[in-house]
Each structure stands twice: as structure tokens, then as C-alpha cells.
Amino acid sequence: MSDTRYTLGGDEHLFAELSESMSLGAFFRGILITKELAARNLPGVTEICPANASYQIRFDPDVLDVADLQNTLEDISATVGESQGVLSTRVLEIPVLYDDPWTNETGQRFRDRHQDPNSTDLEYAARINGYPDVGSFVKAHSDTPWFVSMVGFVAGLPFMYQMVERAKQIQVPKYLKPRTDTPKLTVGYGGCFSCIYSVKGAGGYQMFGVTPVPIYDPEQRLDHLKDFMILFRPGDIVKFRPIDRAEYDDIVAAVERNDYTLVSAPVEFSLEHFEADPAGSATTILEALHAH
């Protein structure tokens, strides 16, 4: 589309910015464009990386002229409107132990870097979003599906955007100063994005809980990571399911035995249908998961 801004990144990269603001429409259009580019198998294109409201293409300039690449992208963009098209994707169920002991302990070690040193991350997030307690906030976070708009920053980390009307979206600022520690598989939140920390390390997102399901395994030992070491793909849809400590421990044991089955189902997603009826569209997505 004419409002797309293209920028060169050295001799081998072309960056396309679809929107200056985050929106499901911008994410959706970027994924449709990059999927169509991949389907065309354009000689010289070596990597395609969709991101939040943008994407980047790596190409071989000895094979493909950048002007020809941009012309191809503009041609694809002209056929992909912000609300047009259907995305064949999948919905994944991710169990989460909210208010867990590990992120709570970590949070206590870094309260001097937090907006509210006297509350937990969950308590703070619930309060500033107008929820009366942590339980109702967890329900709001886990009841709706989430759209994976990008995977990266560290290997395998998904950025997920809540699939609700804009007025109902959860908004939480990042820590005032980043932590030097975050437990592996922490479910975090910053701005309008939820995420899962694929590895232990520094971070600034609010910490809501942990999942027992590995999402990144370079050795590909687990059944749900045998095809690729990274679980999530841009365009995936995620449903968080709250679990208690007993079920968390059971899943950890199943993962260690390589006996855990990730719950997922194929689904067709139309942004046009979602925008016309967000609640009904979300229900249809979750029904596909339960039916499977």
C-alpha cells in the first residue's frame, strides 16, 4: 500500500514499515504479505522476517535488484488490504501457573526498579487496568485468544497481541529499569504485548506467571519441537489456560519423560470477521481448540 515506508539496511536487507502504531490489522497485513512473498519463491530472497507492524527481507543483491524486490512487495501489498484475506493458521493452548513462587521471588529482588514496590506485578497490573483483584485480572488475561505478531528479540520469544476490542486491551508499562534476571518460561507483559521468555535472562516486562511447556529447544528432543527448535510462528493464535501447582508439576514431569502432548488445532482467521464481531470470532477460534 502507498503508506508503506521502505528503508535499505546495508546491501542485503530491505525493511518495510507498515504502520507507526501497533494494531491487529497491521500485523495481519504484514503476515499475509510475507507469506505470499515466500510462496512466490523469488530468486535471491534468502530470509523473510515478519515483525510488529513491519517486516524485513534479506536478499542477495547479485541475484535480485532491490528495486525489483520492492516492486514485487508493492505488487503484493496492492492485493492485500488491511482487512482482506483469510489466514490458515493454528491455535495453541499454553498452560500457565499464574502468581507462581519463582517470578514472585524474582520480582521481590527487583522492587526498587518497579513502579509500585509495595505490590506484586500482578497486583499492580490488575489495579491500573481497573480490575478489583488478581483473580479477575488473570481471567481477563486468559479468557481471550492472543495473536502472535512476531517471534524474536531472543530466540523463540513470541510477542502476542490480545484479540479484543481496543478499549478492552490490557495495557501495562515495563519496569522502570530492566531486571538482570527473569525465570525461564515466564509469561510477561509490556505495553500492549504479552510474551513468554524462552530462556532465563534480563528483562523488563511485568511477570505474571510461568508455563511448564518448553517453547525453544536447540536439541529438538521434545515431540512438539521436532520439526523446528522454536514453537511459535508469526500468525499463530494462543490461548492461555490457568493451572494450579499440582498440574504444573505433572506437566513438568511429562515434559521430562517426553510424554507431553501440546494441545493445538488448525483454524482459519479472517480479520474482517473479527473486526465485525470480536467476541464471536474469538469464541469460534476457541471452539476449534476445544473440538480438537
Side-chain angles (χ1 to χ4, degrees), residues 90-95 213 224 231-232 237-241 247 251 260-266 286-292:
R90 57 182 181 165
V91 55
L92 308 171
E93 182 180 85
I94 301 298
V213 180
H224 67 276
L231 173 61
F232 294 106
I237 296 173
V238 172
K239 169 64 170 67
F240 296 116
R241 181 173 65 84
E247 185 173 0
I251 295 175
Y260 177 74
T261 301
L262 182 73
V263 178
S264 67
L286 299 181
E287 284 175 347
L289 183 63
H290 297 149
H292 193 77

Side-chain angles (χ1 to χ4, degrees), residues 4 95 150 193:
T4 300
M150 170 182 166
F193 289 105

Side-chain angles (χ1 to χ4, degrees), residues 228-261:
F228 192 52
M229 68 180 72
I230 292 170
L231 173 61
F232 294 106
R233 303 189 292 259
D236 280 347
I237 296 173
V238 172
K239 169 64 170 67
F240 296 116
R241 181 173 65 84
I243 59 175
D244 59 19
R245 178 60 188 272
E247 185 173 0
Y248 175 90
D249 291 341
D250 287 344
I251 295 175
V252 168
V255 167
E256 290 176 351
R257 299 190 305 267
N258 198 13
D259 191 31
Y260 177 74
T261 301

Side-chain angles (χ1 to χ4, degrees), residues 78-240:
T79 65
V80 177
E82 188 166 290
S83 297
Q84 297 172 349
V86 174
L87 179 67
S88 296
T89 184
R90 57 182 181 165
V91 55
L92 308 171
E93 182 180 85
I94 301 298
V96 179
L97 176 60
Y98 289 92
D99 202 15
D100 67 285
W102 306 285
T103 60
N104 280 335
E105 185 277 331
T106 301
Q108 287 304 310
R109 286 191 279 120
F110 293 96
R111 292 333 278 169
D112 61 326
R113 306 185 182 202
H114 196 272
Q115 291 86 348
D116 184 356
N118 298 316
S119 66
T120 67
D121 292 8
L122 270 173
E123 290 168 344
Y124 170 71
R127 187 178 71 254
I128 66 171
N129 281 277
Y131 291 92
D133 51 45
V134 166
S136 57
F137 178 78
V138 167
K139 181 173 171 41
H141 185 267
S142 60
D143 270 3
T144 59
W146 297 76
F147 187 85
V148 177
S149 58
M150 170 182 166
V151 179
F153 186 71
V154 296
L157 184 151
F159 288 82
M160 295 172 281
Y161 190 80
Q162 192 175 23
M163 298 173 69
V164 295
E165 302 95 323
R166 182 68 69 95
K168 294 183 179 180
Q169 281 183 339
I170 295 169
Q171 301 280 342
V172 190
K174 295 187 290 186
Y175 273 46
L176 297 175
K177 290 176 59 180
R179 301 176 304 274
T180 55
D181 186 25
T182 308
K184 181 181 178 180
L185 298 177
T186 290
V187 176
Y189 211 99
C192 63
F193 289 105
S194 198
C195 80
I196 302 174
Y197 285 77
S198 52
V199 296
K200 177 182 174 68
Y205 278 22
Q206 307 286 337
M207 297 177 292
F208 292 170
V210 293
T211 177
V213 180
I215 64 171
Y216 170 62
D217 178 16
E219 297 181 10
Q220 295 179 252
R221 295 163 298 181
L222 304 173
D223 284 345
H224 67 276
L225 295 171
K226 284 197 179 301
D227 291 337
F228 192 52
M229 68 180 72
I230 292 170
L231 173 61
F232 294 106
R233 303 189 292 259
D236 280 347
I237 296 173
V238 172
K239 169 64 170 67
F240 296 116

